[in-house]
Amino acid sequence: MTGTVKSVIETYNKRGARERNFDSLNNDFGWKHLPCSFLNENTVYMILTAFCMNFFSYFIRAVSSVFTSLSPTSRVKKFVFHFTAVCAKWTRTARSWWLNLYTGMPYDKLSFG
C-alpha cells in the first residue's frame, strides 16, 4: 500500500462505479448473453449497446425531471413499467385523431429541446 487511506477509498469507489455500469450492461442491455459466436460481431454489438446505454442515461434524466416515480438512476425495467406501459386508445374527434392516455402521469409536460 503506497497511497493514503483517502486515495485507496477513492480508487475502490471508482471501481465500484464501473462495476455498476457493467452490471447494468449485463442485465439491461444484453451483455450477459451475446448474440453471436464471433468476437468481431460481438464487439460491434457491445459498442452499439454501450451507445444505447448512454442515450438511455440522457433520456432517463430528462424524463425523471417530469415524472416523480422515476429517478435519474432508474433501470430499464422500472422505466418500462412506469413510463411505457400505459393504457391508451386512438379516437377520432372533429376529423382528427387523438391519443387518449388513461393515466394521471404528466406526459404533456415532456420536452427535450
Coordinates of all heavy atoms in Angstrom, one line a residue, residues 6-51:
K6 N -7.3 7.8 2.1 CA -8.3 8.5 1.3 C -8.2 8.1 -0.2 O -9.2 7.9 -0.9 CB -8.2 10.0 1.4 CG -9.2 10.8 0.7 CD -9.1 12.3 0.9 CE -10.1 13.0 0.1 NZ -10.1 14.5 0.3
S7 N -7.0 8.0 -0.7 CA -6.8 7.7 -2.1 C -7.2 6.2 -2.4 O -7.7 5.9 -3.5 CB -5.3 7.9 -2.6 OG -4.5 7.0 -1.9
V8 N -6.9 5.3 -1.4 CA -7.3 3.9 -1.6 C -8.9 3.9 -1.6 O -9.4 3.2 -2.5 CB -6.8 3.1 -0.5 CG1 -7.4 1.7 -0.5 CG2 -5.2 3.0 -0.6
I9 N -9.5 4.6 -0.8 CA -11.0 4.6 -0.8 C -11.6 5.1 -2.1 O -12.5 4.6 -2.6 CB -11.5 5.3 0.5 CG1 -11.2 4.6 1.7 CG2 -13.0 5.6 0.4 CD1 -11.5 5.3 3.0
E10 N -11.0 6.2 -2.6 CA -11.5 6.8 -3.8 C -11.2 5.9 -5.0 O -12.1 5.8 -5.9 CB -10.7 8.1 -4.1 CG -11.2 9.2 -3.2 CD -10.4 10.5 -3.3 OE1 -9.4 10.5 -4.1 OE2 -10.7 11.5 -2.7
T11 N -10.1 5.1 -5.0 CA -9.9 4.1 -6.1 C -10.9 3.0 -6.0 O -11.4 2.7 -7.1 CB -8.5 3.6 -5.9 OG1 -7.5 4.6 -5.9 CG2 -8.2 2.6 -7.0
Y12 N -11.2 2.5 -4.9 CA -12.2 1.5 -4.8 C -13.6 2.0 -5.1 O -14.4 1.2 -5.6 CB -12.2 0.8 -3.4 CG -11.1 -0.3 -3.4 CD1 -9.9 -0.1 -2.7 CD2 -11.3 -1.5 -4.1 CE1 -8.9 -1.0 -2.7 CE2 -10.3 -2.5 -4.0 CZ -9.1 -2.2 -3.4 OH -8.2 -3.2 -3.3
N13 N -13.9 3.2 -4.8 CA -15.2 3.8 -5.2 C -15.3 3.9 -6.7 O -16.4 3.6 -7.2 CB -15.4 5.2 -4.5 CG -15.7 5.0 -3.0 OD1 -16.1 4.0 -2.6 ND2 -15.6 6.1 -2.3
K14 N -14.3 4.3 -7.3 CA -14.3 4.3 -8.8 C -14.5 3.0 -9.4 O -15.2 2.8 -10.4 CB -13.0 4.9 -9.3 CG -12.8 6.4 -9.1 CD -11.5 6.9 -9.6 CE -11.3 8.3 -9.2 NZ -9.9 8.8 -9.7
R15 N -13.8 2.0 -8.8 CA -14.0 0.6 -9.3 C -15.5 0.1 -9.1 O -16.0 -0.5 -10.0 CB -13.1 -0.3 -8.5 CG -13.2 -1.8 -8.9 CD -12.2 -2.6 -8.1 NE -12.5 -4.0 -8.4 CZ -12.4 -5.0 -7.5 NH1 -12.0 -4.7 -6.3 NH2 -12.7 -6.2 -7.8
G16 N -16.1 0.5 -8.0 CA -17.5 0.1 -7.7 C -18.4 0.8 -8.7 O -19.4 0.2 -9.2
A17 N -18.1 2.0 -9.1 CA -19.0 2.7 -10.1 C -18.9 2.0 -11.4 O -19.9 1.8 -12.1 CB -18.5 4.2 -10.2
R18 N -17.7 1.6 -11.8 CA -17.5 0.9 -13.1 C -18.2 -0.5 -13.1 O -18.8 -0.9 -14.0 CB -16.0 0.6 -13.4 CG -15.2 1.9 -13.6 CD -15.6 2.8 -14.8 NE -16.8 3.5 -14.7 CZ -17.0 4.7 -14.2 NH1 -16.0 5.3 -13.7 NH2 -18.1 5.4 -14.2
E19 N -18.2 -1.2 -11.9 CA -18.9 -2.4 -11.8 C -20.4 -2.3 -11.9 O -21.1 -3.1 -12.4 CB -18.5 -3.1 -10.5 CG -17.1 -3.7 -10.5 CD -16.7 -4.5 -9.3 OE1 -17.6 -4.7 -8.4 OE2 -15.5 -4.8 -9.1
R20 N -20.9 -1.2 -11.4 CA -22.4 -0.9 -11.5 C -22.7 -0.7 -13.0 O -23.8 -1.1 -13.5 CB -22.8 0.3 -10.7 CG -23.0 0.0 -9.2 CD -23.7 1.1 -8.5 NE -22.9 2.4 -8.6 CZ -22.0 2.8 -7.7 NH1 -21.6 2.0 -6.8 NH2 -21.4 3.9 -7.9
N21 N -21.8 0.0 -13.8 CA -22.0 0.1 -15.2 C -22.1 -1.2 -15.9 O -23.0 -1.5 -16.7 CB -21.0 1.0 -15.8 CG -21.1 2.5 -15.5 OD1 -22.2 2.9 -15.1 ND2 -20.1 3.2 -15.7
F22 N -21.1 -2.1 -15.6 CA -21.1 -3.4 -16.2 C -22.3 -4.2 -15.8 O -22.9 -5.0 -16.6 CB -19.8 -4.2 -15.9 CG -18.7 -3.7 -16.8 CD1 -17.6 -3.0 -16.3 CD2 -18.7 -4.1 -18.1 CE1 -16.6 -2.6 -17.1 CE2 -17.7 -3.7 -19.0 CZ -16.6 -3.0 -18.4
D23 N -22.8 -4.1 -14.5 CA -24.0 -4.8 -14.1 C -25.2 -4.3 -14.9 O -26.0 -5.1 -15.3 CB -24.2 -4.5 -12.6 CG -25.5 -5.2 -12.1 OD1 -25.7 -6.4 -12.3 OD2 -26.3 -4.4 -11.5
S24 N -25.3 -3.0 -15.1 CA -26.4 -2.5 -16.0 C -26.3 -3.0 -17.4 O -27.3 -3.4 -18.0 CB -26.4 -1.0 -15.9 OG -27.4 -0.5 -16.8
L25 N -25.1 -3.0 -18.0 CA -24.9 -3.5 -19.3 C -25.2 -5.0 -19.4 O -25.8 -5.5 -20.4 CB -23.5 -3.2 -19.8 CG -23.3 -1.8 -20.2 CD1 -21.8 -1.5 -20.3 CD2 -24.0 -1.4 -21.5
N26 N -24.8 -5.8 -18.4 CA -25.1 -7.2 -18.4 C -26.6 -7.5 -18.3 O -27.1 -8.3 -19.1 CB -24.4 -7.9 -17.2 CG -22.9 -8.2 -17.5 OD1 -22.5 -8.2 -18.7 ND2 -22.2 -8.2 -16.5
N27 N -27.3 -6.9 -17.4 CA -28.7 -7.2 -17.1 C -29.7 -6.5 -18.0 O -30.7 -7.0 -18.3 CB -29.0 -7.0 -15.7 CG -28.1 -7.9 -14.8 OD1 -28.0 -9.1 -15.1 ND2 -27.6 -7.4 -13.7
D28 N -29.4 -5.2 -18.3 CA -30.4 -4.4 -19.0 C -30.2 -4.4 -20.5 O -31.1 -4.2 -21.3 CB -30.4 -3.0 -18.5 CG -30.9 -2.9 -17.0 OD1 -31.5 -3.9 -16.6 OD2 -30.6 -1.9 -16.4
F29 N -28.9 -4.5 -21.0 CA -28.6 -4.3 -22.4 C -28.1 -5.5 -23.1 O -27.5 -5.5 -24.1 CB -27.7 -3.1 -22.5 CG -28.3 -1.8 -22.2 CD1 -28.2 -1.3 -20.9 CD2 -29.1 -1.1 -23.1 CE1 -28.8 -0.1 -20.6 CE2 -29.7 0.1 -22.8 CZ -29.6 0.6 -21.6
G30 N -28.2 -6.7 -22.4 CA -27.9 -8.0 -23.1 C -26.5 -8.4 -23.2 O -26.2 -9.2 -24.0
W31 N -25.6 -7.9 -22.4 CA -24.2 -8.3 -22.4 C -24.0 -9.7 -21.8 O -23.0 -10.3 -22.0 CB -23.3 -7.3 -21.8 CG -23.0 -6.2 -22.6 CD1 -23.7 -5.7 -23.6 CD2 -21.8 -5.3 -22.5 NE1 -23.0 -4.6 -24.2 CE2 -21.9 -4.3 -23.5 CE3 -20.7 -5.3 -21.6 CZ2 -20.9 -3.3 -23.6 CZ3 -19.8 -4.3 -21.7 CH2 -19.9 -3.4 -22.7
K32 N -25.0 -10.1 -21.0 CA -24.9 -11.4 -20.3 C -24.9 -12.6 -21.3 O -24.1 -13.5 -21.2 CB -26.0 -11.6 -19.3 CG -25.8 -12.8 -18.4 CD -26.9 -12.9 -17.4 CE -26.6 -11.9 -16.3 NZ -27.5 -12.0 -15.2
H33 N -25.7 -12.5 -22.4 CA -25.8 -13.5 -23.4 C -25.6 -12.8 -24.7 O -26.5 -12.3 -25.3 CB -27.2 -14.2 -23.3 CG -27.5 -14.8 -22.0 ND1 -26.8 -15.9 -21.6 CD2 -28.3 -14.4 -21.0 CE1 -27.2 -16.3 -20.4 NE2 -28.1 -15.4 -20.0
L34 N -24.4 -12.9 -25.2 CA -24.1 -12.2 -26.5 C -24.7 -12.9 -27.7 O -24.8 -14.2 -27.7 CB -22.6 -12.1 -26.7 CG -21.9 -11.2 -25.6 CD1 -20.4 -11.3 -25.7 CD2 -22.4 -9.8 -25.7
P35 N -25.1 -12.2 -28.7 CA -25.9 -12.8 -29.8 C -25.1 -13.7 -30.8 O -25.7 -14.5 -31.5 CB -26.5 -11.6 -30.5 CG -25.5 -10.5 -30.3 CD -25.0 -10.8 -28.9
C36 N -23.8 -13.5 -30.9 CA -23.0 -14.1 -32.0 C -21.9 -15.0 -31.4 O -21.6 -14.9 -30.2 CB -22.4 -13.1 -32.9 SG -23.6 -12.0 -33.7
S37 N -21.4 -15.8 -32.3 CA -20.3 -16.7 -31.8 C -18.9 -16.1 -32.1 O -17.9 -16.7 -31.7 CB -20.4 -18.0 -32.6 OG -21.6 -18.7 -32.3
F38 N -18.9 -15.0 -32.8 CA -17.6 -14.5 -33.3 C -17.3 -13.2 -32.5 O -18.2 -12.4 -32.3 CB -17.6 -14.2 -34.8 CG -17.8 -15.5 -35.6 CD1 -19.1 -15.7 -36.1 CD2 -16.9 -16.5 -35.7 CE1 -19.3 -16.9 -36.8 CE2 -17.1 -17.6 -36.3 CZ -18.3 -17.8 -36.9
L39 N -16.0 -12.9 -32.2 CA -15.6 -11.8 -31.5 C -15.9 -10.5 -32.2 O -16.4 -9.5 -31.5 CB -14.1 -11.9 -31.1 CG -13.6 -10.7 -30.3 CD1 -14.2 -10.7 -28.9 CD2 -12.1 -10.9 -30.1
N40 N -15.7 -10.4 -33.5 CA -15.9 -9.1 -34.2 C -17.4 -8.7 -34.1 O -17.7 -7.5 -33.9 CB -15.5 -9.3 -35.7 CG -14.0 -9.4 -35.8 OD1 -13.3 -9.0 -34.9 ND2 -13.5 -10.0 -36.9
E41 N -18.3 -9.6 -34.4 CA -19.7 -9.3 -34.3 C -20.2 -8.9 -32.9 O -20.9 -8.0 -32.7 CB -20.6 -10.5 -34.8 CG -20.5 -10.7 -36.3 CD -19.4 -11.6 -36.7 OE1 -18.5 -11.9 -35.9 OE2 -19.3 -11.9 -37.9
N42 N -19.6 -9.6 -31.9 CA -20.0 -9.3 -30.5 C -19.4 -8.0 -30.1 O -20.0 -7.2 -29.3 CB -19.5 -10.4 -29.6 CG -20.4 -11.6 -29.6 OD1 -21.6 -11.5 -30.0 ND2 -19.8 -12.8 -29.3
T43 N -18.3 -7.6 -30.6 CA -17.7 -6.3 -30.3 C -18.5 -5.2 -30.9 O -18.8 -4.2 -30.2 CB -16.2 -6.2 -30.9 OG1 -15.4 -7.2 -30.4 CG2 -15.6 -4.9 -30.6
V44 N -19.0 -5.3 -32.1 CA -19.9 -4.3 -32.6 C -21.2 -4.2 -31.8 O -21.7 -3.1 -31.5 CB -20.3 -4.6 -34.1 CG1 -21.3 -3.7 -34.7 CG2 -19.0 -4.5 -35.0
Y45 N -21.8 -5.4 -31.4 CA -23.0 -5.4 -30.6 C -22.7 -4.7 -29.3 O -23.6 -3.9 -28.8 CB -23.4 -6.8 -30.4 CG -24.6 -7.0 -29.4 CD1 -25.8 -6.7 -29.8 CD2 -24.4 -7.3 -28.1 CE1 -26.9 -6.9 -29.0 CE2 -25.4 -7.5 -27.2 CZ -26.7 -7.2 -27.7 OH -27.7 -7.4 -26.8
M46 N -21.6 -4.9 -28.6 CA -21.3 -4.3 -27.4 C -21.1 -2.8 -27.5 O -21.6 -2.1 -26.6 CB -20.1 -5.0 -26.7 CG -20.3 -6.4 -26.3 SD -18.8 -7.3 -25.9 CE -18.7 -6.8 -24.2
I47 N -20.5 -2.4 -28.5 CA -20.3 -0.9 -28.7 C -21.7 -0.2 -29.0 O -21.9 0.8 -28.4 CB -19.3 -0.7 -29.9 CG1 -17.9 -1.1 -29.5 CG2 -19.4 0.8 -30.3 CD1 -16.9 -1.1 -30.7
L48 N -22.5 -0.8 -29.8 CA -23.8 -0.3 -30.1 C -24.7 -0.2 -28.8 O -25.4 0.8 -28.5 CB -24.5 -1.0 -31.2 CG -23.9 -0.8 -32.6 CD1 -24.7 -1.7 -33.6 CD2 -24.0 0.6 -33.0
T49 N -24.6 -1.3 -28.0 CA -25.4 -1.3 -26.8 C -24.9 -0.3 -25.8 O -25.6 0.3 -25.0 CB -25.6 -2.7 -26.2 OG1 -24.3 -3.2 -26.0 CG2 -26.4 -3.5 -27.0
A50 N -23.6 -0.1 -25.8 CA -23.0 1.0 -24.9 C -23.5 2.4 -25.3 O -23.8 3.2 -24.4 CB -21.5 0.9 -24.9
F51 N -23.6 2.6 -26.6 CA -24.2 3.9 -27.1 C -25.6 4.0 -26.6 O -26.1 5.0 -26.2 CB -24.1 4.0 -28.6 CG -22.7 4.3 -29.1 CD1 -22.3 3.7 -30.3 CD2 -21.9 5.2 -28.5 CE1 -21.0 4.0 -30.8 CE2 -20.6 5.5 -29.0 CZ -20.2 4.9 -30.2

